[in-house]
Amino acid sequence: MIFEPGIIDEDLFRAVCAEYRLDPEGSASMLPYGDRGKVGWETRRLYFDLARGQDGLFNTEPALRQVADIRSALPVTRIFSFGKCNVSCPYCKRDCQFRDEDGNIIVATDVALRDLFALAEGAYARGETVRFSGGDPVVLPKQTLAIAAYMRRRYGAKVSIAHNGSGPAWVKKLAPDLASAAIDLKAVSEKMGHIMGVSAALGERIYRLSEETQAILSSAGVILDVRTPIFGDTSLEEMRQLAETVSKNNPRTTFWTWRLYKAVHGCDWVVPQKEIVFGMLDRVSAEFPHLWMGVRAKWEGGGMMYWLGGQRLTPMEMSYAEKRGSGNNIELLRAA
Ligand code: SF4
């Protein structure tokens, strides 16, 4: 079930479990990955990394790091995909395959807590960063804090999160152990409830919580990747409003990723046309010239397109095509 586990430090494992009031023999709900349905098989590369300079901060000029081989140049995160979430986005990832018609997760599986620590050990041994994802890791706060503490004490290693933005109190505790954080800002405040499958009032509250979460991470100097899904009806004016919020963060530690929605079975939301989105990116980038922005572009060899100061940038290397991982669907995008 677990991909290449490492050997855990039993004493330290038990110590952090005691500290976070976790049963060492307990388990956590996880999402298996891929055709073989195994936990811990998913990795993600941090594409924003090409826009960072030697000081680790985002460049102030529109320039990308030139590398011979993007695949080996980008940092790799090992995805810990927890099987629960605190909201119900109708388009939820992996084609909604892990939710039934009542919104219940249908393929999540319980994995021994001990095995998750072993998975973190294996990730570290391969030079990867542990990334807590989902579902959403905010629903398993003690488990994530315990694994992060274990990695710090055993290796001095930091971890990463991909989080919907609703948990600033949890993020504040985790921030000292974070190397980077992907935080959702899924829509303008008034559309947030619709996009996340919750009431309008809760959606507006989550918008403010995401702002608060971003501010905590920005103040802590954590590399922040704000993520916004783009649909066929997402307007330029909406993206300008969101840009006002994202640009409150430190531009040297902030990247803003626009994520092109792909068609999902059971959800009739409209797929965006990429040329229209690129035009919006040109304009918003020109209006917020200090904010790095980008869009995953699997049809490009480099896998990502970048914007700064109204300029489009693409990596030099064009031969790499990612084989695995969720995100944009190349066939749909070609058809768009
Ligand atoms: S926040 Fe993420 S994991 Fe949760 S329902 Fe939305 S898309 Fe799915």
Side-chain angles (χ1 to χ4, degrees):
M1 179 66 74
I2 297 287
F3 182 61
E4 292 181 26
I7 307 297
I8 65 171
D9 177 327
E10 186 68 24
D11 290 344
L12 182 55
F13 168 64
R14 289 188 172 274
V16 294
C17 283
E19 190 173 327
Y20 290 96
R21 300 186 180 187
L22 290 165
D23 177 1
E25 306 310 321
S27 61
S29 176
M30 303 292 292
L31 293 176
Y33 177 74
D35 299 338
R36 286 183 263 181
K38 297 191 177 184
V39 170
W41 274 61
E42 185 175 8
T43 58
R44 294 289 179 95
R45 287 178 167 74
L46 300 180
Y47 284 88
F48 59 68
D49 192 67
L50 286 189
R52 293 202 287 174
Q54 288 190 334
D55 58 2
L57 303 176
F58 289 107
N59 294 324
T60 54
E61 300 295 324
L64 297 173
R65 185 156 49 92
Q66 300 298 301
V67 294
D69 174 25
I70 289 178
R71 185 178 174 79
S72 59
L74 295 173
V76 177
T77 60
R78 175 67 49 179
I79 302 300
F80 283 52
S81 199
F82 293 109
K84 294 179 180 175
C85 188
N86 57 346
V87 294
S88 303
C89 305
Y91 60 88
C92 192
K93 76 172 188 176
R94 295 180 190 152
D95 300 342
C96 281
Q97 294 304 306
F98 72 93
R99 287 179 180 276
D100 66 18
E101 60 271 20
D102 298 321
N104 299 314
I105 291 169
I106 54 175
V107 297
T109 181
D110 283 342
V111 174
L113 193 57
R114 177 184 300 279
D115 287 345
L116 294 183
F117 280 72
L119 179 60
E121 286 274 2
Y124 181 80
R126 291 186 297 275
E128 302 162 355
T129 299
V130 169
R131 169 171 271 200
F132 303 125
S133 183
D136 201 285
V138 73
V139 297
L140 291 161
K142 292 192 296 184
Q143 291 84 347
T144 48
L145 287 163
I147 295 171
Y150 177 96
M151 297 303 285
R152 168 175 25 89
R153 291 181 202 168
R154 184 139 156 87
Y155 299 113
K158 295 200 172 195
V159 299
S160 180
I161 54 172
H163 167 47
N164 62 26
S166 63
W170 166 69
V171 165
K172 193 169 188 176
K173 290 181 193 162
L174 202 52
D177 287 328
L178 289 176
S180 67
I183 301 298
D184 292 341
L185 186 66
K186 286 181 182 284
V188 291
S189 180
E190 57 271 26
K191 284 176 79 171
M192 197 72 136
H194 172 64
I195 299 293
M196 298 184 88
V198 297
S199 70
L202 180 54
E204 288 177 18
R205 177 165 158 69
I206 292 175
Y207 188 97
R208 291 194 299 275
L209 290 171
S210 177
E211 278 188 299
E212 192 181 333
T213 299
Q214 292 170 47
I216 289 167
L217 292 165
S218 190
S219 300
V222 174
I223 295 296
L224 176 61
D225 180 16
V226 181
R227 306 184 305 182
T228 299
I230 309 295
F231 304 93
D233 62 350
T234 304
S235 72
L236 176 62
E237 192 47 44
E238 288 170 3
M239 298 313 288
R240 282 183 171 129
Q241 282 184 43
L242 293 177
E244 295 281 357
T245 291
V246 179
S247 62
K248 289 177 188 167
N249 302 312
N250 180 354
R252 299 301 311 282
T253 56
T254 303
F255 194 94
W256 187 19
T257 300
W258 293 23
R259 310 179 84 191
L260 298 173
Y261 169 70
K262 67 173 184 174
V264 165
H265 178 68
C267 183
D268 62 0
W269 294 4
V270 181
V271 173
Q273 294 184 40
K274 64 178 187 293
E275 290 304 333
I276 293 176
V277 176
F278 293 171
M280 288 164 56
L281 274 155
D282 290 341
R283 295 186 60 177
V284 175
S285 176
E287 292 167 23
F288 296 83
H290 304 300
L291 182 59
W292 272 97
M293 303 161 63
V295 62
R296 287 283 280 117
K298 290 186 178 178
W299 62 91
E300 292 280 356
M304 183 101 182
M305 292 174 65
Y306 303 77
W307 275 256
L308 186 72
Q311 289 189 44
R312 290 186 198 186
L313 299 105
T314 51
M316 291 292 289
E317 131 80 48
M318 301 295 283
S319 62
Y320 167 60
E322 191 170 271
K323 294 188 182 120
R324 303 184 73 171
S326 62
N328 302 325
N329 181 303
I330 191 168
E331 300 305 327
L332 286 166
L333 288 164
R334 277 181 179 146

